[in-house]
Amino acid sequence: MLRLQDKVVMITGAASGLGAAFSRAAALAGASVVLADIDDAAGQGLAEALRAEGASAGYQRLDVTSEAGWETAMAAVRERHGRLDVLANNAGIALRGSVADCSLADWQRTLDVNLTGVFLGCRAALPLMRAGGAIVNVSSVYGQVGGAQVAAYCAAKGGVTLLTRSAALHGAALKPPVRVNSIHPGFVDTPMTQGALDLPDASGTTARKRIEGMTPLGRLATPDEIVGVFLLLASDEGRYITGSQFTVDGGLTAQ
């Protein structure tokens, strides 16, 4: 039996990076996958590629900051599938700025996408999970420890960490229960991070080199290396796991 056989799985931020890796893994594990994103070309292209490989996959445009957008997306899932078994709240942005120089606009945009989007997703998914289900929220190691130059990102991802625990307590009381957990990746080599990682500083050293030096395993993660935790939490193998944080950071926060 495939790990997600016959489950309906929706993934936000599905067009690239971790979201694309999660989408492909869910499809290969037997799920009917709903790829949600604002990048229509990339999202539709990935859905088409997965269907060409024999998977069940469809694209749904979704701005995770929009309450109406979530209502429309969930109505489409209900009409097409009748239920939702797994939601991966993965969509996110990373804008640099310390507490001293982060603009209010960047602060608000970061919280809107990275935190409010997760809240709206959890709330919208629950009515479609009447048979039980699993919500997987993608936080970050910066939802556990601080980073001086990413104040808004830390605030948002820290919010996801505790929102997940609150939602897990609510979900545990439902009959049948809905499990809610968070994944906390370290630095992952994705299109969102590549530009910033490879820019040299005044000494000529890139952020990539500094991060590799700080990480006990000596390198960044690939998106596929976060997939295993996602599959555990999304599948019935994780049926006794809720309200938990799963850190996948190459040992970075063990120091």
Side-chain angles (χ1 to χ4, degrees):
M1 174 69 73
L2 297 174
R3 297 174 80 178
L4 298 179
Q5 185 71 49
D6 299 326
K7 291 189 182 294
V8 179
V9 178
M10 181 175 184
I11 298 163
T12 69
S16 65
L18 283 180
F22 290 168
S23 297
R24 180 170 293 280
L28 291 174
S32 294
V33 185
V34 180
L35 295 84
D37 210 296
I38 56 173
D39 187 340
D40 295 337
Q44 289 171 348
L46 180 55
E48 289 169 4
L50 292 174
R51 289 196 298 271
E53 296 172 12
S56 174
Y59 175 72
Q60 174 66 46
R61 180 173 177 80
L62 173 62
D63 176 354
V64 297
T65 70
S66 168
E67 184 174 22
W70 274 105
E71 292 171 356
T72 298
M74 287 303 177
V77 172
R78 184 183 294 108
E79 180 178 354
R80 191 175 307 132
H81 301 286
R83 71 183 198 280
L84 182 64
D85 299 302
V86 178
L87 171 65
N89 280 311
N90 168 74
I93 59 173
L95 302 178
R96 285 178 61 83
S98 72
V99 70
D101 57 30
C102 179
S103 70
L104 180 58
D106 283 355
W107 171 271
Q108 193 61 62
R109 178 63 178 162
T110 301
L111 266 66
D112 285 347
V113 176
N114 292 2
L115 180 55
T116 302
V118 174
F119 158 69
L120 291 173
C122 291
R123 192 180 68 175
L126 287 172
L128 273 72
M129 293 183 166
R130 298 195 181 281
I135 297 174
V136 181
N137 295 329
V138 178
S139 181
S140 167
V141 291
Y142 280 145
Q144 300 169 312
V145 300
Q149 297 302 317
V150 282
Y153 188 80
C154 288
K157 293 300 189 178
V160 170
T161 301
L162 284 183
L163 173 62
T164 297
R165 291 186 170 187
S166 175
L169 295 175
H170 173 82
L174 301 177
K175 305 298 181 188
V178 173
R179 299 180 295 105
V180 190
N181 294 287
S182 56
I183 301 176
H184 298 256
F187 292 93
V188 185
D189 206 350
T190 68
M192 185 175 76
T193 62
Q194 282 167 356
L197 288 171
D198 293 322
L199 288 174
D201 60 17
S203 69
T205 304
T206 64
R208 182 186 299 273
K209 287 296 183 184
R210 289 195 301 274
I211 292 165
E212 288 172 346
M214 294 187 307
T215 303
L217 290 185
R219 60 179 178 82
L220 280 68
T222 67
D224 286 342
E225 290 174 316
I226 316 298
V227 160
V229 173
F230 162 70
L231 289 174
L232 169 65
L233 297 177
S235 72
D236 291 341
E237 295 167 37
R239 60 187 173 272
Y240 199 63
I241 304 172
T242 196
S244 294
Q245 304 172 37
F246 284 76
T247 304
V248 191
D249 68 353
L252 187 66
T253 58
Q255 303 173 96

